[in-house]
Amino acid sequence: MNYPTTLKNLIECYKKLPGVGEKSAERMALATLDLDQEILDKLSDSVKNLKTSIKRCKICNNYCEDEICTICSDKSRNKSTICVVEEPKNIMLFERMGSYNGVYHVLDGLISPLEGINPEQINFKSLIDRIDEEDIKEVIFALKPSIEGETTTLYIKKYLEKKDVKVSKIAHGVPMGADIDYIDTLTLELALENRNEV
Amino acid sequence: MNYPTTLKNLIECYKKLPGVGEKSAERMALATLDLDQEILDKLSDSVKNLKTSIKRCKICNNYCEDEICTICSDKSRNKSTICVVEEPKNIMLFERMGSYNGVYHVLDGLISPLEGINPEQINFKSLIDRIDEEDIKEVIFALKPSIEGETTTLYIKKYLEKKDVKVSKIAHGVPMGADIDYIDTLTLELALENRNEV
């Protein structure tokens, strides 16, 4: 016995999502069947129009519904500080924190010679253009603490050396609440290197 | 900053699914954005038509696309044995096992005086009708090992006493591969009670 085609299709689709295996997909599909038609319509419409309704901000490449995202069009934000992130979702993390008032720049990838991702394939030229055209005082890198993240930071930093702009990188160290026994040595090394006077 | 409306709606919908919290819903919605439009269309259509395309089998109440489910319409199945389950998804478990060749009956609920679920609210009358009308030799109960499951089994069993039909219940005991140290006492008691000669 197999599930009816519609249910089978739904299970197949759910399985494409991250962290969703065969069993979870089945459970989710069966639960979808129990939802109100109103929610099913909302889900169906959102999915159908997802790609067409979500645009990228012409300035920072963040997700947006219009030409310019809500952050870039917000007059109260400090436009002279740019935080460089890999993906639009990283912006959400900073915004939840609430204390950052600058703007962002989404690279949409990291330079990775191993995977054949060159600087031209990430959204890096537009960052340089922004720095050339606008009055940018500081560029803060908030990329993944990986080889690709470091490579990208260093590559862009080299480009910015000739320009009158402060370049910084978010601190790496022991996360709050973590047990120091379980911290990897590289993080500990960086934490020691970046120690602060108390 | 907030996500665009479509993405927010999608996150809201995903959050209605079992085992999906705020963070997973966000991750899933962002991953949905990266899927091919073809898959999005398939997902959208499946969700939209889910309730209308999935019917219940007129005989056993299993999910189906037509009037009668694939199991009930399968001529090679032994129609004289009925396995009584709570939900259509339980059938899938038995079918995966592959060794059961009888048919099923989906109750769509269990009798629960505490939650105010009476025998009339579950699909129990149609089971009695089947036994009266068809040539049923055995009814196997495969319900949850809970108070509700036991109550339902005993309630239906009482109804079947006057009829010429064998009534059985799947065995409860120590599951294969489980560490006996972690088995609850009730299960162990049942396992001891139902011990088999070796």
Side-chain angles (χ1 to χ4, degrees), chain A residues 1 3 5-6 9 17-18 26 30-33 35 37 40 44-48 51 53 62-63 65 71 89 92 95-96, chain B residues 1 3 5-6 9 17-18 26 30-33 35 37 40 44-48 51 53 62-63 65 71 89 92 95-96:
Chain A
M1 179 246 180
Y3 282 123
T5 321
T6 334
N9 284 343
L17 299 173
E26 195 182 317
L30 290 168
T32 310
L33 194 56
L35 294 176
Q37 186 60 41
L40 297 190
S44 171
D45 294 342
S46 310
V47 167
K48 186 141 238 148
K51 276 179 192 277
S53 74
N62 183 14
Y63 291 141
E65 286 170 281
I71 296 173
K89 67 174 176 192
M92 211 41 147
E95 291 301 295
R96 278 202 191 118
Chain B
M1 178 246 181
Y3 282 124
T5 320
T6 333
N9 283 343
L17 299 174
E26 194 182 319
L30 290 167
T32 310
L33 195 56
L35 295 175
Q37 187 60 43
L40 296 190
S44 172
D45 294 342
S46 309
V47 168
K48 187 142 238 148
K51 276 178 192 277
S53 74
N62 184 15
Y63 291 141
E65 286 169 282
I71 296 173
K89 67 174 178 194
M92 210 43 145
E95 291 301 294
R96 279 203 190 115

Tab-separated table of all heavy atoms in Angstrom, chain A residues 1 3 5-6 9 17-18 26 30-33 35 37 40 44-48 51 53 62-63 65 71 89 92 95-96, chain B residues 1 3 5-6 9 17-18 26 30-33 35 37 40 44-48 51 53 62-63 65 71 89 92 95-96:
chain	number	residue	atom	x	y	z
A	1	MET	N	0.848	-1.195	0.000
A	1	MET	CA	0.000	0.000	0.000
A	1	MET	C	0.882	1.243	0.000
A	1	MET	O	1.898	1.323	0.670
A	1	MET	CB	-0.872	0.011	1.265
A	1	MET	CG	-1.771	1.238	1.372
A	1	MET	SD	-1.290	2.260	2.769
A	1	MET	CE	-2.487	3.586	2.657
A	3	TYR	N	0.739	5.717	-0.056
A	3	TYR	CA	-0.129	6.857	0.207
A	3	TYR	C	-0.689	7.354	-1.120
A	3	TYR	O	-0.064	7.177	-2.168
A	3	TYR	CB	0.671	7.968	0.876
A	3	TYR	CG	0.923	7.731	2.342
A	3	TYR	CD1	2.214	7.702	2.861
A	3	TYR	CD2	-0.143	7.565	3.225
A	3	TYR	CE1	2.441	7.494	4.215
A	3	TYR	CE2	0.083	7.363	4.576
A	3	TYR	CZ	1.361	7.329	5.061
A	3	TYR	OH	1.581	7.130	6.394
A	5	THR	N	-1.367	9.796	-4.249
A	5	THR	CA	-0.357	10.580	-4.975
A	5	THR	C	-0.086	11.962	-4.374
A	5	THR	O	1.080	12.341	-4.210
A	5	THR	CB	-0.774	10.746	-6.454
A	5	THR	OG1	-1.352	9.523	-6.885
A	5	THR	CG2	0.410	11.090	-7.327
A	6	THR	N	-1.134	12.693	-4.048
A	6	THR	CA	-0.944	14.045	-3.505
A	6	THR	C	-0.106	14.007	-2.225
A	6	THR	O	0.801	14.815	-2.028
A	6	THR	CB	-2.300	14.700	-3.156
A	6	THR	OG1	-3.319	14.125	-3.961
A	6	THR	CG2	-2.251	16.182	-3.353
A	9	ASN	N	3.470	13.154	-3.087
A	9	ASN	CA	4.161	14.322	-3.626
A	9	ASN	C	4.569	15.280	-2.513
A	9	ASN	O	5.678	15.806	-2.508
A	9	ASN	CB	3.247	15.087	-4.596
A	9	ASN	CG	3.135	14.385	-5.925
A	9	ASN	OD1	3.958	13.525	-6.246
A	9	ASN	ND2	2.126	14.747	-6.696
A	17	LEU	N	13.576	19.708	2.254
A	17	LEU	CA	13.896	20.744	3.229
A	17	LEU	C	14.980	20.277	4.194
A	17	LEU	O	15.098	19.083	4.457
A	17	LEU	CB	12.632	21.145	3.989
A	17	LEU	CG	11.509	21.726	3.114
A	17	LEU	CD1	10.242	21.931	3.934
A	17	LEU	CD2	11.939	23.035	2.471
A	18	PRO	N	15.772	21.213	4.724
A	18	PRO	CA	16.877	20.814	5.607
A	18	PRO	C	16.365	20.210	6.910
A	18	PRO	O	15.395	20.703	7.482
A	18	PRO	CB	17.607	22.135	5.866
A	18	PRO	CG	16.580	23.190	5.651
A	18	PRO	CD	15.660	22.667	4.584
A	26	GLU	N	6.941	12.422	6.399
A	26	GLU	CA	5.670	11.712	6.460
A	26	GLU	C	4.786	12.296	7.563
A	26	GLU	O	3.606	12.578	7.353
A	26	GLU	CB	5.967	10.236	6.748
A	26	GLU	CG	4.796	9.321	6.490
A	26	GLU	CD	5.122	7.877	6.844
A	26	GLU	OE1	6.222	7.410	6.508
A	26	GLU	OE2	4.277	7.225	7.472
A	30	LEU	N	1.215	14.245	6.960
A	30	LEU	CA	-0.028	13.796	7.599
A	30	LEU	C	-0.610	14.910	8.466
A	30	LEU	O	-1.824	15.083	8.533
A	30	LEU	CB	0.227	12.535	8.428
A	30	LEU	CG	0.521	11.278	7.606
A	30	LEU	CD1	1.038	10.162	8.493
A	30	LEU	CD2	-0.727	10.816	6.864
A	31	ALA	N	0.279	15.681	9.104
A	31	ALA	CA	-0.199	16.790	9.929
A	31	ALA	C	-0.768	17.898	9.044
A	31	ALA	O	-1.716	18.577	9.425
A	31	ALA	CB	0.936	17.329	10.795
A	32	THR	N	-0.187	18.066	7.855
A	32	THR	CA	-0.681	19.085	6.921
A	32	THR	C	-2.134	18.790	6.559
A	32	THR	O	-2.955	19.691	6.447
A	32	THR	CB	0.191	19.112	5.645
A	32	THR	OG1	1.562	19.174	6.039
A	32	THR	CG2	-0.134	20.307	4.766
A	33	LEU	N	-2.414	17.505	6.417
A	33	LEU	CA	-3.774	17.064	6.081
A	33	LEU	C	-4.793	17.481	7.145
A	33	LEU	O	-5.974	17.695	6.846
A	33	LEU	CB	-3.750	15.537	5.949
A	33	LEU	CG	-4.917	14.818	5.305
A	33	LEU	CD1	-5.175	15.351	3.914
A	33	LEU	CD2	-4.636	13.330	5.232
A	35	LEU	N	-4.579	20.278	8.913
A	35	LEU	CA	-4.658	21.738	9.063
A	35	LEU	C	-5.914	22.273	8.381
A	35	LEU	O	-6.481	21.634	7.506
A	35	LEU	CB	-3.418	22.397	8.446
A	35	LEU	CG	-2.061	22.125	9.098
A	35	LEU	CD1	-0.958	22.783	8.289
A	35	LEU	CD2	-2.023	22.643	10.528
A	37	GLN	N	-8.183	24.438	5.848
A	37	GLN	CA	-7.981	24.765	4.437
A	37	GLN	C	-7.402	26.180	4.284
A	37	GLN	O	-6.602	26.442	3.404
A	37	GLN	CB	-9.290	24.626	3.656
A	37	GLN	CG	-9.169	24.801	2.143
A	37	GLN	CD	-8.226	23.771	1.497
A	37	GLN	OE1	-8.227	22.607	1.838
A	37	GLN	NE2	-7.385	24.236	0.576
A	40	LEU	N	-3.795	25.934	4.614
A	40	LEU	CA	-3.263	25.251	3.428
A	40	LEU	C	-3.185	26.233	2.260
A	40	LEU	O	-2.209	26.246	1.507
A	40	LEU	CB	-4.135	24.051	3.050
A	40	LEU	CG	-4.222	22.916	4.060
A	40	LEU	CD1	-4.917	21.717	3.437
A	40	LEU	CD2	-2.846	22.498	4.543
A	44	SER	N	0.139	27.274	0.437
A	44	SER	CA	0.230	27.036	-0.999
A	44	SER	C	0.583	28.315	-1.762
A	44	SER	O	1.469	28.325	-2.618
A	44	SER	CB	-1.108	26.473	-1.480
A	44	SER	OG	-1.140	26.413	-2.861
A	45	ASP	N	-0.095	29.406	-1.416
A	45	ASP	CA	0.157	30.673	-2.102
A	45	ASP	C	1.560	31.207	-1.805
A	45	ASP	O	2.249	31.695	-2.698
A	45	ASP	CB	-0.892	31.717	-1.702
A	45	ASP	CG	-2.285	31.332	-2.193
A	45	ASP	OD1	-2.364	30.477	-3.103
A	45	ASP	OD2	-3.272	31.870	-1.672
A	46	SER	N	1.967	31.106	-0.540
A	46	SER	CA	3.295	31.590	-0.171
A	46	SER	C	4.367	30.862	-0.969
A	46	SER	O	5.304	31.471	-1.485
A	46	SER	CB	3.580	31.359	1.314
A	46	SER	OG	2.548	31.832	2.110
A	47	VAL	N	4.200	29.548	-1.065
A	47	VAL	CA	5.198	28.738	-1.759
A	47	VAL	C	5.215	29.077	-3.243
A	47	VAL	O	6.268	29.268	-3.834
A	47	VAL	CB	4.918	27.226	-1.533
A	47	VAL	CG1	5.730	26.386	-2.481
A	47	VAL	CG2	5.216	26.845	-0.098
A	48	LYS	N	4.027	29.183	-3.822
A	48	LYS	CA	3.919	29.436	-5.264
A	48	LYS	C	4.577	30.765	-5.654
A	48	LYS	O	5.279	30.852	-6.662
A	48	LYS	CB	2.435	29.423	-5.671
A	48	LYS	CG	2.228	29.521	-7.167
A	48	LYS	CD	1.098	28.623	-7.629
A	48	LYS	CE	1.525	27.617	-8.674
A	48	LYS	NZ	0.803	26.373	-8.593
A	51	LYS	N	9.378	32.898	-4.984
A	51	LYS	CA	10.508	33.397	-5.754
A	51	LYS	C	10.202	34.728	-6.429
A	51	LYS	O	11.084	35.578	-6.564
A	51	LYS	CB	10.922	32.373	-6.809
A	51	LYS	CG	11.862	31.319	-6.234
A	51	LYS	CD	12.229	30.322	-7.293
A	51	LYS	CE	12.904	29.109	-6.718
A	51	LYS	NZ	14.348	29.301	-6.496
A	53	SER	N	7.916	37.014	-5.434
A	53	SER	CA	7.591	38.128	-4.537
A	53	SER	C	8.794	38.611	-3.744
A	53	SER	O	8.789	39.713	-3.220
A	53	SER	CB	6.463	37.739	-3.590
A	53	SER	OG	6.942	36.857	-2.606
A	62	ASN	N	19.960	42.493	0.431
A	62	ASN	CA	19.125	41.808	1.414
A	62	ASN	C	17.792	41.445	0.753
A	62	ASN	O	17.446	41.994	-0.282
A	62	ASN	CB	18.882	42.767	2.589
A	62	ASN	CG	18.089	42.142	3.724
A	62	ASN	OD1	17.921	40.932	3.795
A	62	ASN	ND2	17.619	42.997	4.624
A	63	TYR	N	17.048	40.520	1.360
A	63	TYR	CA	15.711	40.221	0.852
A	63	TYR	C	14.825	41.446	1.006
A	63	TYR	O	14.935	42.155	2.004
A	63	TYR	CB	15.033	39.092	1.656
A	63	TYR	CG	15.649	37.734	1.476
A	63	TYR	CD1	15.777	36.876	2.552
A	63	TYR	CD2	16.082	37.295	0.230
A	63	TYR	CE1	16.326	35.612	2.402
A	63	TYR	CE2	16.630	36.034	0.072
A	63	TYR	CZ	16.750	35.197	1.157
A	63	TYR	OH	17.293	33.946	1.010
A	65	GLU	N	10.786	43.406	-0.506
A	65	GLU	CA	9.596	43.314	-1.337
A	65	GLU	C	9.609	44.382	-2.418
A	65	GLU	O	8.944	44.248	-3.426
A	65	GLU	CB	8.357	43.443	-0.463
A	65	GLU	CG	8.116	42.184	0.357
A	65	GLU	CD	7.046	42.365	1.407
A	65	GLU	OE1	7.350	42.950	2.462
A	65	GLU	OE2	5.917	41.926	1.180
A	71	ILE	N	15.820	48.181	5.760
A	71	ILE	CA	16.960	48.719	6.519
A	71	ILE	C	17.610	49.862	5.746
A	71	ILE	O	17.865	50.926	6.295
A	71	ILE	CB	17.994	47.604	6.834
A	71	ILE	CG1	17.347	46.560	7.750
A	71	ILE	CG2	19.249	48.188	7.468
A	71	ILE	CD1	18.182	45.339	8.011
A	89	LYS	N	19.944	35.823	5.833
A	89	LYS	CA	19.451	35.400	7.149
A	89	LYS	C	20.376	35.850	8.291
A	89	LYS	O	19.942	35.985	9.422
A	89	LYS	CB	19.220	33.896	7.194
A	89	LYS	CG	20.460	33.065	7.103
A	89	LYS	CD	20.144	31.594	7.300
A	89	LYS	CE	21.386	30.759	7.100
A	89	LYS	NZ	21.109	29.338	6.995
A	92	MET	N	19.201	38.927	10.063
A	92	MET	CA	18.171	38.711	11.083
A	92	MET	C	18.785	38.572	12.473
A	92	MET	O	18.257	39.095	13.450
A	92	MET	CB	17.408	37.444	10.713
A	92	MET	CG	15.983	37.453	11.122
A	92	MET	SD	15.176	39.027	10.865
A	92	MET	CE	13.563	38.454	10.495
A	95	GLU	N	19.834	41.917	13.709
A	95	GLU	CA	18.672	42.746	13.997
A	95	GLU	C	17.983	42.314	15.283
A	95	GLU	O	17.452	43.133	16.016
A	95	GLU	CB	17.681	42.698	12.820
A	95	GLU	CG	18.207	43.389	11.575
A	95	GLU	CD	18.516	44.863	11.845
A	95	GLU	OE1	17.584	45.612	12.119
A	95	GLU	OE2	19.706	45.235	11.780
A	96	ARG	N	18.018	41.012	15.567
A	96	ARG	CA	17.400	40.526	16.802
A	96	ARG	C	18.150	41.028	18.016
A	96	ARG	O	17.566	41.282	19.056
A	96	ARG	CB	17.413	38.991	16.816
A	96	ARG	CG	16.265	38.438	16.025
A	96	ARG	CD	15.912	37.021	16.404
A	96	ARG	NE	14.983	36.535	15.379
A	96	ARG	CZ	15.206	35.523	14.568
A	96	ARG	NH1	16.317	34.830	14.678
A	96	ARG	NH2	14.329	35.181	13.667
B	1	MET	N	14.286	44.933	11.376
B	1	MET	CA	14.047	44.361	10.041
B	1	MET	C	13.227	43.085	10.171
B	1	MET	O	13.420	42.280	11.068
B	1	MET	CB	15.402	44.023	9.383
B	1	MET	CG	15.290	43.373	8.022
B	1	MET	SD	15.891	41.679	8.092
B	1	MET	CE	15.677	41.166	6.397
B	3	TYR	N	11.399	39.780	7.778
B	3	TYR	CA	11.429	39.135	6.474
B	3	TYR	C	10.273	39.656	5.629
B	3	TYR	O	9.259	40.099	6.170
B	3	TYR	CB	11.284	37.620	6.648
B	3	TYR	CG	12.554	36.938	7.095
B	3	TYR	CD1	12.573	36.169	8.241
B	3	TYR	CD2	13.722	37.063	6.353
B	3	TYR	CE1	13.733	35.530	8.652
B	3	TYR	CE2	14.881	36.427	6.756
B	3	TYR	CZ	14.890	35.669	7.902
B	3	TYR	OH	16.039	35.042	8.304
B	5	THR	N	6.826	39.708	3.539
B	5	THR	CA	5.549	39.091	3.945
B	5	THR	C	5.411	37.626	3.521
B	5	THR	O	5.018	36.783	4.332
B	5	THR	CB	4.362	39.896	3.376
B	5	THR	OG1	4.688	41.276	3.493
B	5	THR	CG2	3.088	39.606	4.137
B	6	THR	N	5.745	37.338	2.273
B	6	THR	CA	5.582	35.956	1.791
B	6	THR	C	6.414	34.992	2.634
B	6	THR	O	5.956	33.917	3.005
B	6	THR	CB	6.057	35.833	0.319
B	6	THR	OG1	5.925	37.076	-0.322
B	6	THR	CG2	5.284	34.771	-0.412
B	9	ASN	N	4.861	34.623	6.054
B	9	ASN	CA	3.694	33.737	5.989
B	9	ASN	C	4.126	32.280	5.948
B	9	ASN	O	3.556	31.432	6.617
B	9	ASN	CB	2.864	34.035	4.734
B	9	ASN	CG	2.045	35.281	4.893
B	9	ASN	OD1	1.838	35.763	6.011
B	9	ASN	ND2	1.579	35.835	3.790
B	17	LEU	N	3.453	22.825	11.727
B	17	LEU	CA	3.751	21.404	11.540
B	17	LEU	C	4.413	20.821	12.783
B	17	LEU	O	5.088	21.541	13.518
B	17	LEU	CB	4.651	21.226	10.310
B	17	LEU	CG	4.033	21.699	8.988
B	17	LEU	CD1	5.056	21.621	7.872
B	17	LEU	CD2	2.814	20.875	8.640
B	18	PRO	N	4.241	19.524	13.031
B	18	PRO	CA	4.790	18.925	14.244
B	18	PRO	C	6.313	18.900	14.227
B	18	PRO	O	6.923	18.645	13.188
B	18	PRO	CB	4.219	17.504	14.224
B	18	PRO	CG	3.961	17.223	12.782
B	18	PRO	CD	3.552	18.526	12.183
B	26	GLU	N	12.124	28.881	10.142
B	26	GLU	CA	12.889	29.909	9.431
B	26	GLU	C	13.871	29.252	8.457
B	26	GLU	O	13.968	29.631	7.292
B	26	GLU	CB	13.629	30.755	10.462
B	26	GLU	CG	14.184	32.039	9.918
B	26	GLU	CD	14.953	32.812	10.972
B	26	GLU	OE1	14.513	32.885	12.135
B	26	GLU	OE2	16.025	33.334	10.629
B	30	LEU	N	13.719	29.524	4.368
B	30	LEU	CA	14.847	30.039	3.588
B	30	LEU	C	15.324	28.995	2.585
B	30	LEU	O	15.700	29.316	1.461
B	30	LEU	CB	15.985	30.465	4.518
B	30	LEU	CG	15.699	31.710	5.356
B	30	LEU	CD1	16.723	31.873	6.462
B	30	LEU	CD2	15.659	32.953	4.488
B	31	ALA	N	15.281	27.729	2.997
B	31	ALA	CA	15.680	26.656	2.085
B	31	ALA	C	14.659	26.508	0.963
B	31	ALA	O	15.021	26.183	-0.172
B	31	ALA	CB	15.811	25.346	2.861
B	32	THR	N	13.395	26.764	1.273
B	32	THR	CA	12.342	26.674	0.254
B	32	THR	C	12.621	27.665	-0.866
B	32	THR	O	12.421	27.375	-2.041
B	32	THR	CB	10.960	26.954	0.888
B	32	THR	OG1	10.804	26.153	2.043
B	32	THR	CG2	9.823	26.655	-0.082
B	33	LEU	N	13.108	28.827	-0.453
B	33	LEU	CA	13.448	29.888	-1.412
B	33	LEU	C	14.521	29.432	-2.408
B	33	LEU	O	14.571	29.902	-3.546
B	33	LEU	CB	13.950	31.102	-0.622
B	33	LEU	CG	14.059	32.446	-1.292
B	33	LEU	CD1	12.731	32.863	-1.891
B	33	LEU	CD2	14.514	33.493	-0.296
B	35	LEU	N	14.827	26.319	-3.525
B	35	LEU	CA	14.385	25.175	-4.332
B	35	LEU	C	13.992	25.638	-5.742
B	35	LEU	O	13.684	26.803	-5.953
B	35	LEU	CB	13.183	24.481	-3.676
B	35	LEU	CG	13.404	23.799	-2.322
B	35	LEU	CD1	12.082	23.278	-1.767
B	35	LEU	CD2	14.414	22.673	-2.417
B	37	GLN	N	11.693	26.239	-8.989
B	37	GLN	CA	10.284	26.630	-9.108
B	37	GLN	C	9.389	25.410	-9.349
B	37	GLN	O	8.260	25.356	-8.875
B	37	GLN	CB	10.116	27.670	-10.219
B	37	GLN	CG	8.711	28.269	-10.331
B	37	GLN	CD	8.256	28.988	-9.052
B	37	GLN	OE1	9.026	29.715	-8.437
B	37	GLN	NE2	7.018	28.763	-8.643
B	40	LEU	N	8.601	23.961	-6.117
B	40	LEU	CA	7.687	24.860	-5.410
B	40	LEU	C	6.267	24.696	-5.938
B	40	LEU	O	5.313	24.677	-5.168
B	40	LEU	CB	8.133	26.320	-5.569
B	40	LEU	CG	9.482	26.701	-4.964
B	40	LEU	CD1	9.660	28.208	-4.986
B	40	LEU	CD2	9.606	26.197	-3.544
B	44	SER	N	3.212	23.498	-3.776
B	44	SER	CA	2.051	24.382	-3.706
B	44	SER	C	0.763	23.671	-4.115
B	44	SER	O	-0.254	23.743	-3.426
B	44	SER	CB	2.301	25.588	-4.604
B	44	SER	OG	1.152	26.363	-4.704
B	45	ASP	N	0.834	22.945	-5.232
B	45	ASP	CA	-0.347	22.231	-5.719
B	45	ASP	C	-0.768	21.106	-4.775
B	45	ASP	O	-1.954	20.912	-4.511
B	45	ASP	CB	-0.100	21.662	-7.126
B	45	ASP	CG	0.081	22.771	-8.146
B	45	ASP	OD1	-0.312	23.915	-7.833
B	45	ASP	OD2	0.625	22.510	-9.236
B	46	SER	N	0.228	20.358	-4.279
B	46	SER	CA	-0.095	19.264	-3.361
B	46	SER	C	-0.824	19.798	-2.139
B	46	SER	O	-1.813	19.227	-1.695
B	46	SER	CB	1.179	18.560	-2.882
B	46	SER	OG	1.994	18.209	-3.941
B	47	VAL	N	-0.310	20.911	-1.604
B	47	VAL	CA	-0.905	21.470	-0.392
B	47	VAL	C	-2.315	21.968	-0.673
B	47	VAL	O	-3.244	21.694	0.084
B	47	VAL	CB	-0.018	22.604	0.165
B	47	VAL	CG1	-0.750	23.389	1.226
B	47	VAL	CG2	1.269	22.047	0.723
B	48	LYS	N	-2.455	22.673	-1.796
B	48	LYS	CA	-3.761	23.258	-2.131
B	48	LYS	C	-4.848	22.189	-2.291
B	48	LYS	O	-5.963	22.352	-1.809
B	48	LYS	CB	-3.624	24.085	-3.419
B	48	LYS	CG	-4.877	24.861	-3.757
B	48	LYS	CD	-4.544	26.232	-4.316
B	48	LYS	CE	-5.155	27.339	-3.500
B	48	LYS	NZ	-4.401	28.549	-3.464
B	51	LYS	N	-6.713	18.299	0.782
B	51	LYS	CA	-7.957	17.845	1.421
B	51	LYS	C	-8.975	17.311	0.414
B	51	LYS	O	-9.708	16.380	0.708
B	51	LYS	CB	-8.574	18.983	2.218
B	51	LYS	CG	-7.973	19.117	3.608
B	51	LYS	CD	-8.594	20.277	4.329
B	51	LYS	CE	-7.832	20.632	5.575
B	51	LYS	NZ	-8.211	19.780	6.711
B	53	SER	N	-8.304	16.011	-2.648
B	53	SER	CA	-7.877	14.838	-3.415
B	53	SER	C	-7.793	13.570	-2.574
B	53	SER	O	-7.793	12.471	-3.099
B	53	SER	CB	-6.540	15.099	-4.087
B	53	SER	OG	-5.528	15.068	-3.126
B	62	ASN	N	-9.427	3.904	5.253
B	62	ASN	CA	-8.030	4.257	4.973
B	62	ASN	C	-8.009	5.412	3.967
B	62	ASN	O	-8.997	5.671	3.300
B	62	ASN	CB	-7.339	3.032	4.353
B	62	ASN	CG	-5.858	3.243	4.103
B	62	ASN	OD1	-5.259	4.182	4.620
B	62	ASN	ND2	-5.269	2.355	3.311
B	63	TYR	N	-6.882	6.134	3.864
B	63	TYR	CA	-6.751	7.170	2.839
B	63	TYR	C	-6.826	6.519	1.458
B	63	TYR	O	-6.281	5.429	1.262
B	63	TYR	CB	-5.391	7.875	2.924
B	63	TYR	CG	-5.215	8.734	4.141
B	63	TYR	CD1	-3.988	8.774	4.799
B	63	TYR	CD2	-6.248	9.528	4.632
B	63	TYR	CE1	-3.803	9.573	5.920
B	63	TYR	CE2	-6.065	10.322	5.749
B	63	TYR	CZ	-4.852	10.342	6.391
B	63	TYR	OH	-4.662	11.131	7.488
B	65	GLU	N	-7.598	7.473	-3.098
B	65	GLU	CA	-7.892	8.455	-4.128
B	65	GLU	C	-9.254	8.214	-4.751
B	65	GLU	O	-9.849	9.111	-5.317
B	65	GLU	CB	-6.796	8.431	-5.186
B	65	GLU	CG	-5.523	9.079	-4.684
B	65	GLU	CD	-4.340	8.854	-5.592
B	65	GLU	OE1	-3.759	7.754	-5.550
B	65	GLU	OE2	-3.996	9.778	-6.331
B	71	ILE	N	-5.791	-1.394	-0.814
B	71	ILE	CA	-5.739	-2.650	-0.055
B	71	ILE	C	-7.063	-3.396	-0.167
B	71	ILE	O	-7.093	-4.587	-0.462
B	71	ILE	CB	-5.358	-2.402	1.421
B	71	ILE	CG1	-3.946	-1.824	1.499
B	71	ILE	CG2	-5.460	-3.693	2.235
B	71	ILE	CD1	-3.508	-1.379	2.869
B	89	LYS	N	-2.112	6.182	9.135
B	89	LYS	CA	-0.657	6.027	9.060
B	89	LYS	C	-0.172	4.728	9.700
B	89	LYS	O	0.891	4.217	9.373
B	89	LYS	CB	0.060	7.239	9.654
B	89	LYS	CG	-0.116	7.414	11.130
B	89	LYS	CD	0.758	8.551	11.644
B	89	LYS	CE	0.524	8.758	13.132
B	89	LYS	NZ	1.062	9.995	13.651
B	92	MET	N	0.500	1.976	7.254
B	92	MET	CA	1.788	2.054	6.577
B	92	MET	C	2.838	1.197	7.276
B	92	MET	O	3.642	0.522	6.626
B	92	MET	CB	2.223	3.513	6.544
B	92	MET	CG	3.048	3.875	5.376
B	92	MET	SD	2.431	3.189	3.845
B	92	MET	CE	2.846	4.501	2.762
B	95	GLU	N	2.214	-2.383	6.506
B	95	GLU	CA	2.509	-2.659	5.106
B	95	GLU	C	4.003	-2.712	4.838
B	95	GLU	O	4.489	-3.480	4.022
B	95	GLU	CB	1.835	-1.617	4.202
B	95	GLU	CG	0.324	-1.729	4.185
B	95	GLU	CD	-0.139	-3.106	3.708
B	95	GLU	OE1	0.097	-3.407	2.535
B	95	GLU	OE2	-0.722	-3.856	4.511
B	96	ARG	N	4.752	-1.895	5.570
B	96	ARG	CA	6.221	-1.892	5.422
B	96	ARG	C	6.789	-3.216	5.892
B	96	ARG	O	7.774	-3.709	5.358
B	96	ARG	CB	6.820	-0.750	6.233
B	96	ARG	CG	6.720	0.544	5.495
B	96	ARG	CD	7.739	1.566	5.952
B	96	ARG	NE	7.379	2.832	5.328
B	96	ARG	CZ	6.979	3.900	5.988
B	96	ARG	NH1	6.955	3.912	7.299
B	96	ARG	NH2	6.646	4.982	5.337
